[in-house]
Amino acid sequence: MRHSARLSLLFTCLLASTAIAKEPQKQLVIISFDGAHDNALWEKSRQMAKDSGAHFTYFLSCTFYMTKDRAHAYQAPGEKRGRSNVGFAPDNADIAARLDNVWNAHLEGHEIASHACGHFDGSKWSKADWLEEFGTFRKTLLSAWDGIGKTAPDGWADFVTNDIRGFRAPYLAVSKTLPEAEKDAGYLFDASLVTRGPALPVMDGKLTRFGLPTIPEGPRDRRIIGMDYNLYVRHSDAKEDKRDAPQFEERAYEAFKSAFDRQYDGDRIPLQLGFHFVEMNDGAYWRALDRLLQDVCHKDDVACVTYPEAMEILKKEKAEKSSAS
C-alpha cells in the first residue's frame, strides 16, 4: 500500500473513531403526574403519550381506591381515622374506571408508583410511620378490585407486589427516615428531592434519588420548581384565571422548552417535570406539556421515559464510559 493511501486510511479511521467518541448521549425527559385520580385526565394523558411516543410515571394516592363509606379503614400516622387531604373516590364505578386506567397504562409501558395514601406531610414521620403508610398503600391496591366486587386481571397481585417500585412524598415533604423506610419497603427509586437546575440522580446501590429541578421562568427568569402547581401559584396565586390562561401557557411552554434546550445543547442531564391531574388555569400547563412532548419526544436523540427506564439508560451510559476510559 502506498504511503499516501495508508495516511488516507489512517485519517479516515481517526475521523470515524472521533465521531463515535463524540456521539452525544440521549437527552432524557422524565414526565410524572402526582395523585393521578381524575379518569378523564387518565384518558387524556394516555392519549398524549401515544401521540408523542412518551412513557410517563404516575404516582398514585391510595385513598382514591376507597369510597367515603370505607374511609374508616384508613388512618394515616398521627391523623384521625378516615381523614384524607385529597378526599376519596365518589363511588365504585369511579374506582373501576381508575383501576382499568392504571392497568392499561401499566400494559402500555408507563410506570405506576406510589404517592402514599391521604397526601399528608410526612416531614416529621418516623421510619415506622412511613412503613405503616407504605403497607396501607400496598394492601389498598391489592384489594381494590375485590372492594368493588370485581375480579382483578391476571397478574394484578404480582404487579402491585413487584412492579410498584418508586415513591414521591406528598408536598415533596421528606424526613431523614424516609430513605431507609423506602429501602425496607423494596422501593428502588425516590423522586421527592428538589435540585437547583437539572441534576443527575443520587445512587447508593439500593435506592436512586431523583430531584425535580428549579428552572428559570417568566420575564425575569426567576427560578421555580418545574411543576404545574408551582406555576399556578406564581401566575395566579392558585386561583383560576381563564382570561390570562393563554399567557400562562406560553410562559410555561417557554420555561419548559428553554430548560430542555439548555440540556439538549449542553450536558444532556435528564430533565424532569411534574404535573397533577388538575387542569389549572384552564389547562394552560397541560397544553404547554403537550406542546413540549410533540416538539421533542420524536427526536432520534431524545427519550421521553419513566424513572426506571431513565435509571437503566443512565446505568448503561455509565458502564460504557467506564469501559471506554
Side-chain angles (χ1 to χ4, degrees), residues 37-40 42-43 64-70 88-102 144-150:
H37 63 291
D38 187 296
N39 282 306
W42 265 109
E43 298 288 346
F64 294 125
Y65 300 85
M66 57 182 81
T67 52
K68 185 65 177 176
D69 63 329
R70 298 200 298 274
F88 298 85
D91 51 44
N92 285 350
D94 179 76
I95 295 175
R98 186 170 300 108
L99 287 169
D100 186 67
N101 273 307
V102 168
W145 291 92
D146 288 341
I148 59 172
K150 291 183 177 292

Side-chain angles (χ1 to χ4, degrees), residues 3 10 53 92 104 137 210 229 233:
H3 182 67
L10 178 60
N92 285 350
N104 280 291
F137 176 91
F210 290 87
Y229 180 74
V233 171

Side-chain angles (χ1 to χ4, degrees), residues 10-294:
L10 178 60
F11 184 67
T12 301
C13 291
L14 285 171
L15 283 177
S17 63
T18 302
I20 292 171
K22 290 187 176 180
E23 183 179 347
Q25 64 194 39
K26 279 189 177 291
Q27 174 63 51
L28 303 184
V29 178
I30 308 170
I31 304 299
S32 58
F33 296 92
D34 290 5
H37 63 291
D38 187 296
N39 282 306
L41 294 181
W42 265 109
E43 298 288 346
K44 184 171 184 174
S45 65
R46 287 171 55 205
Q47 188 59 53
M48 286 166 60
K50 290 173 184 175
D51 292 342
S52 63
H55 284 163
F56 299 143
T57 298
Y58 295 95
F59 292 101
L60 310 185
S61 297
C62 89
T63 57
F64 294 125
Y65 300 85
M66 57 182 81
T67 52
K68 185 65 177 176
D69 63 329
R70 298 200 298 274
H72 67 279
Y74 171 59
Q75 184 174 15
E79 301 292 337
K80 292 182 179 179
R81 182 169 294 278
R83 273 205 66 212
S84 166
N85 276 348
V86 289
F88 298 85
D91 51 44
N92 285 350
D94 179 76
I95 295 175
R98 186 170 300 108
L99 287 169
D100 186 67
N101 273 307
V102 168
W103 183 242
N104 280 291
H106 166 65
L107 296 178
E108 291 161 4
H110 301 292
E111 179 72 9
I112 307 300
S114 170
H115 199 44
C117 288
H119 207 275
F120 290 104
D121 182 337
S123 58
K124 296 182 180 178
W125 283 4
S126 67
K127 179 179 175 180
D129 291 335
W130 282 113
L131 288 172
E132 178 186 340
E133 185 82 346
F134 294 160
T136 301
F137 176 91
R138 199 171 299 277
K139 290 176 185 176
T140 300
L141 267 292
L142 280 170
S143 63
W145 291 92
D146 288 341
I148 59 172
K150 291 183 177 292
T151 302
D154 290 341
W156 178 264
D158 182 67
F159 153 67
V160 173
T161 303
N162 299 309
D163 291 338
I164 297 181
R165 302 168 291 173
F167 179 73
R168 173 174 285 155
Y171 307 110
L172 305 178
V174 302
S175 67
K176 292 181 180 179
T177 60
L178 176 59
E180 287 303 314
E182 289 172 315
K183 293 174 189 177
D184 283 6
Y187 289 123
L188 299 181
F189 75 91
D190 173 274
S192 309
L193 301 178
V194 176
T195 60
R196 180 175 173 80
L200 289 170
V202 179
M203 305 181 188
D204 72 355
K206 286 187 176 180
L207 183 72
T208 300
R209 303 185 73 190
F210 290 87
L212 286 167
T214 58
I215 60 175
E217 188 276 335
R220 290 181 288 169
D221 277 342
R222 289 187 299 147
R223 286 189 171 271
I224 191 169
I225 297 175
M227 206 170 210
D228 55 358
Y229 180 74
N230 301 77
L231 292 166
Y232 182 49
V233 171
R234 174 174 288 184
H235 292 167
S236 60
D237 291 328
K239 298 174 184 176
E240 276 298 303
D241 182 353
K242 291 187 177 183
R243 184 188 64 182
D244 294 322
Q247 172 194 337
F248 300 147
E249 175 190 341
E250 198 60 36
R251 279 181 58 166
Y253 173 76
E254 288 297 328
F256 299 159
K257 186 61 163 55
S258 294
F260 170 86
D261 288 342
R262 274 189 289 274
Q263 295 310 314
Y264 185 72
D265 297 331
D267 295 332
R268 299 217 166 177
I269 295 172
L271 174 65
Q272 302 167 63
L273 297 172
F275 297 83
H276 293 78
F277 266 30
V278 180
E279 292 189 293
M280 305 166 198
N281 278 333
D282 201 34
Y285 311 114
W286 275 57
R287 288 194 299 275
L289 169 62
D290 194 27
R291 290 169 59 187
L292 179 75
L293 296 174
Q294 294 294 337

